[in-house]
């Protein structure tokens, strides 16, 4: 076990007054009613009532650890980000893993994507890379995200997750076919958090010192090897040890078995995006490695556990809008929506000064903003002016944007993304299916069939199966047979 912080001296109230008796409430005489003047009693009960902040709407169930990112390749021709400027340079990081749909008290060993949220504490400010353990996602436009999550959460009438809701949405959203194939395949339930890959998932912009732009995708390849659970194994483990993944990560670090990931990027020159065979900004698509081979650039290692889970894991906040010079967004419509939604969520959940908490504030530099006041503001700015420009000194603008401009044109409107030569909702799902061994295909079909068979209406089941049939005829046929066998 790691050493715990020692607190010495007498027990006090939160205002520092010594506590004479922490076992008995003040009463009006022996056996009399409790007195409202008992400061300690009121303070303890009031604090207890407020010890929990609202849990995350998604990614509520999480575990985290600190570590380092070490750059192992020269990428300065692609980005001017300082933490990526020198081979051998190390940057402190905090990584939070999570499930997506479950609540704070749910089990770890369930079939669900895993969040892979990484905070780099760079000398130019914090850079947050908020991804998953899958390179794709269920939808490509953030306007559909609340509806998607509502289907994964508890039904407002039954209070349970309903197969009807899940498959009705997926069947009516054929772009989900690729991610659903990932989710119900072998990698849908990782054995531990250490034995899975992570991905930035979205496409991002890198820009070098000369202002030349590139599109990039991040890959974090586990050095521990991929290990997964079957559905039967997961069902047993979830019932026996709801905290299996969190415990495994914590104990591995305590033993000195520091998990690590080899960091790779795919890089696309900006000029190639318009004519690429897939929409490079579509979150439901990958860039095939034959088109843009991954380049190894670094090593990520986790080597320090949090001292307090609530303060450092539960109150940690991440926003994909936290960029540093040389890194920026792409026109990915899911990413564009997340640029707003994540910051808005943590301002509601943790508070307007959430970025002042130790886990969230910059570690390698100092945040110099003109933001003041709000809940839990600590007065750190003293009497400094809170506006700019001013005649009294203080932080001033740099004049150079963090990332390079992206050309845009055309009329505003509710447009679908521009079509590319091989863009459809099924080709990559079919390619993924055809890469699988016969045993992997059988497990995939059985996992899907067991869930689809629970829907109450034949049309929902048939529409879901038809999407997989469009991805691959054999895929759809096997699934149809398996579902019919279960539904009778």
């Amino acid at each position: 076990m790691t050493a715990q912080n020692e607190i010495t001296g007498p027990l006090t109230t939160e205002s520092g007054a010594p506590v004479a008796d922490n076992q008995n409430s003040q009463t009006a005489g022996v056996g009399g009613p409790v007195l409202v003047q008992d400061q300690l009693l009121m303070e303890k009960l009031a604090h207890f009532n407020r010890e929990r902040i609202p849990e995350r709407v998604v990614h509520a169930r999480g575990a985290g650890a600190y570590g380092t990112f070490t750059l192992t390749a020269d990428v300065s021709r692609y980005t001017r980000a300082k933490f990526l400027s020198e081979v051998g340079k190390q940057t402190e990081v905090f990584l939070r893993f999570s499930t997506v749909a479950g609540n704070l008290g749910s089990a770890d060993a369930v079939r669900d994507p895993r969040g892979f949220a990484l905070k780099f504490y760079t000398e130019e400010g914090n850079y947050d890379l908020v991804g998953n353990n899958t390179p794709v996602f269920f939808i490509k436009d953030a306007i559909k995200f609340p509806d998607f999550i509502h289907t994964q959460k508890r039904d407002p009438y039954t209070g349970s997750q309903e197969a009807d809701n899940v498959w009705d949405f997926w069947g009516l959203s054929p772009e989900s076919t690729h991610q659903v194939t990932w989710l119900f395949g072998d990698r849908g339930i990782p054995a531990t958090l250490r034995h899975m890959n992570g991905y930035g998932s979205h496409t991002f912009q890198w820009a070098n010192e000369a202002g030349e732009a590139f599109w990039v995708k991040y890959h974090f390849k586990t050095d521990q090897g991929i290990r997964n659970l079957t559905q039967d194994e997961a069902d047993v483990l979830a019932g026996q040890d709801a905290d299996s993944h969190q415990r495994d990560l914590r104990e591995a670090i305590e033993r000195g078995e520091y998990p690590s990931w080899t960091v790779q990027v795919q890089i696309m020159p900006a000029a190639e995006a318009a004519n690429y065979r897939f929409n490079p900004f579509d979150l439901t698509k990958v860039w095939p490695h034959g088109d843009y081979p991954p380049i190894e650039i670094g090593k990520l290692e986790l080597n320090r556990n949090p001292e307090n889970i609530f303060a450092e894991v539960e109150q940690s906040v991440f926003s994909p809008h936290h960029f540093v010079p040389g890194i920026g967004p792409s026109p990915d419509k899911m990413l564009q929506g997340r640029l707003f939604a994540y910051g808005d969520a943590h301002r509601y959940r943790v508070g307007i000064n959430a970025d002042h908490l130790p886990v969230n504030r910059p570690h390698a530099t100092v945040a110099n903003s003109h933001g003041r006041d709000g809940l839990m503001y600590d007065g750190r700015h003293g009497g400094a002016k809170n506006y700019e420009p001013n005649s009294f000194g203080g932080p001033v603008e740099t004049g150079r944007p963090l990332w390079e401009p992206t050309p845009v044109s055309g009329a505003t409107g509710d447009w679908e993304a521009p079509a590319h030569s091989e863009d459809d909702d099924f080709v990559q799902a079919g390619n993924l299916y055809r890469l699988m061994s016969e045993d992997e295909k059988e497990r995939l079909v059985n996992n899907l069939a067991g869930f689809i068979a629970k829907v109450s209406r034949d049309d929902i089941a048939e529409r879901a199966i038809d999407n997989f049939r469009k991805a691959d005829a054999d895929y759809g046929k096997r699934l149809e047979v398996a579902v019919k066998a279960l539904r009778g």
Side-chain angles (χ1 to χ4, degrees):
M1 298 291 289
T2 57
Q4 302 298 309
N5 294 330
E6 294 186 4
I7 300 176
T8 59
L11 178 66
T12 73
T13 65
E14 291 182 14
S15 61
V19 171
D21 188 341
N22 193 39
Q23 311 303 316
N24 302 289
S25 303
Q26 292 182 20
T27 59
V30 178
V34 171
L35 300 177
V36 93
Q37 72 178 30
D38 189 338
Q39 178 194 2
L40 181 64
L41 172 66
M42 298 303 151
E43 181 180 273
K44 288 177 71 174
L45 293 181
H47 192 286
F48 179 78
N49 287 345
R50 294 162 175 80
E51 281 181 358
R52 292 295 169 261
I53 58 179
E55 73 174 36
R56 290 168 167 88
V57 177
V58 290
H59 297 281
R61 175 75 173 176
Y66 296 91
T68 56
F69 167 76
T70 304
L71 187 70
T72 59
D74 182 6
V75 293
S76 58
R77 58 179 167 158
Y78 301 115
T79 176
R80 68 179 191 272
K82 287 186 178 180
F83 82 102
L84 299 174
S85 63
E86 182 181 346
V87 173
K89 189 167 189 174
Q90 287 194 337
T91 301
E92 183 189 4
V93 300
F94 181 74
L95 175 57
R96 184 179 186 271
F97 304 95
S98 57
T99 53
V100 174
N103 57 30
L104 190 58
S106 59
D108 287 336
V110 295
R111 189 174 300 280
D112 201 8
R114 265 61 184 181
F116 196 93
L118 186 60
K119 187 182 297 292
F120 297 84
Y121 298 102
T122 90
E123 66 264 51
E124 297 178 291
N126 291 348
Y127 171 44
D128 290 353
L129 184 62
V130 188
N132 284 321
N133 71 334
T134 61
V136 294
F137 196 59
F138 300 92
I139 52 177
K140 62 183 75 173
D141 192 318
I143 201 168
K144 298 182 70 171
F145 188 74
D147 299 294
F148 162 63
I149 292 300
H150 289 165
T151 72
Q152 307 299 302
K153 292 287 191 175
R154 299 179 184 275
D155 180 87
Y157 174 70
T158 68
S160 302
Q161 187 191 60
E162 295 295 335
D164 278 4
N165 301 351
V166 174
W167 286 109
D168 189 35
F169 182 87
W170 284 346
L172 292 167
S173 304
E175 70 267 30
S176 68
T177 306
H178 192 189
Q179 170 73 326
V180 172
T181 299
W182 268 88
L183 180 60
F184 284 82
D186 284 353
R187 297 195 185 192
I189 314 178
T192 79
L193 299 172
R194 298 178 293 126
H195 292 89
M196 67 179 193
N197 292 339
Y199 301 90
S201 302
H202 297 287
T203 299
F204 297 92
Q205 187 200 82
W206 275 6
N208 62 23
E209 192 62 48
E212 186 180 9
F214 302 85
W215 301 120
V216 300
K217 282 185 175 290
Y218 297 92
H219 303 254
F220 298 80
K221 300 292 185 163
T222 175
D223 295 326
Q224 290 69 237
I226 297 289
R227 282 180 49 202
N228 306 301
L229 299 173
T230 66
Q231 187 66 61
D232 289 342
E233 291 170 336
D235 289 343
V236 172
L237 181 59
Q240 292 178 341
D241 184 3
D243 303 322
S244 58
H245 286 177
Q246 299 190 31
R247 180 176 292 107
D248 174 85
L249 178 66
R250 183 185 70 251
E251 292 180 351
I253 293 174
E254 287 175 348
R255 293 193 303 268
E257 297 177 13
Y258 301 141
S260 64
W261 288 259
T262 297
V263 185
Q264 302 173 342
V265 292
Q266 290 177 282
I267 300 177
M268 175 189 294
E272 296 181 12
N275 296 316
Y276 184 49
R277 59 195 178 112
F278 301 110
N279 178 356
F281 312 119
D282 181 346
L283 187 55
T284 68
K285 304 285 197 308
V286 297
W287 300 354
H289 291 186
D291 294 348
Y292 295 97
I295 301 167
E296 183 176 325
I297 67 162
K299 186 72 71 174
L300 172 69
E301 179 187 86
L302 299 181
N303 49 37
R304 179 165 67 90
N305 284 318
E307 292 294 328
N308 184 283
I309 297 299
F310 181 81
E312 299 167 83
V313 179
E314 185 63 13
Q315 290 194 129
S316 63
V317 298
F318 301 83
S319 172
H321 218 161
H322 289 169
F323 293 113
V324 293
I327 303 179
S330 77
D332 177 342
K333 294 179 79 174
M334 271 298 298
L335 174 59
Q336 291 285 320
R338 295 176 81 203
L339 297 180
F340 160 75
Y342 275 59
D344 186 58
H346 75 62
R347 283 186 287 271
Y348 161 73
R349 193 179 65 86
V350 185
I352 191 61
N353 287 306
D355 287 322
H356 291 188
L357 295 171
V359 69
N360 298 322
R361 67 187 179 217
H363 290 189
T365 186
V366 176
N368 289 321
S369 77
H370 293 293
R372 300 288 192 275
D373 304 342
L375 184 67
M376 298 300 291
Y377 176 61
D378 59 8
R380 65 181 57 195
H381 301 92
K385 301 300 182 184
N386 63 345
Y387 61 92
E388 194 273 334
N390 70 61
S391 304
F392 301 91
V396 296
E397 61 196 23
T398 65
R400 185 173 186 181
L402 299 184
W403 58 84
E404 296 305 307
T406 302
V408 296
S409 63
T412 61
D414 299 323
W415 305 112
E416 291 186 16
H420 292 243
S421 61
E422 295 186 34
D423 268 344
D424 70 29
D425 293 324
F426 307 107
V427 61
Q428 291 198 356
N431 290 341
L432 177 59
Y433 175 79
R434 289 183 287 273
L435 284 174
M436 296 180 181
S437 68
E438 284 302 309
D439 286 346
E440 289 173 322
K441 289 177 180 177
E442 182 177 358
R443 289 190 291 271
L444 168 65
V445 168
N446 288 339
N447 291 336
L448 285 167
F451 195 13
I452 295 175
K454 295 178 181 179
V455 304
S456 63
R457 288 172 41 175
D458 289 341
D459 63 321
I460 294 176
E462 290 167 1
R463 186 166 52 235
I465 293 169
D466 189 54
N467 283 341
F468 298 105
R469 185 182 295 113
K470 291 174 181 175
D472 184 275
D474 177 70
Y475 190 4
K477 182 178 180 180
R478 289 191 189 191
L479 187 54
E480 181 180 19
V481 170
V483 171
K484 283 184 177 179
L486 291 171
R487 288 172 69 86

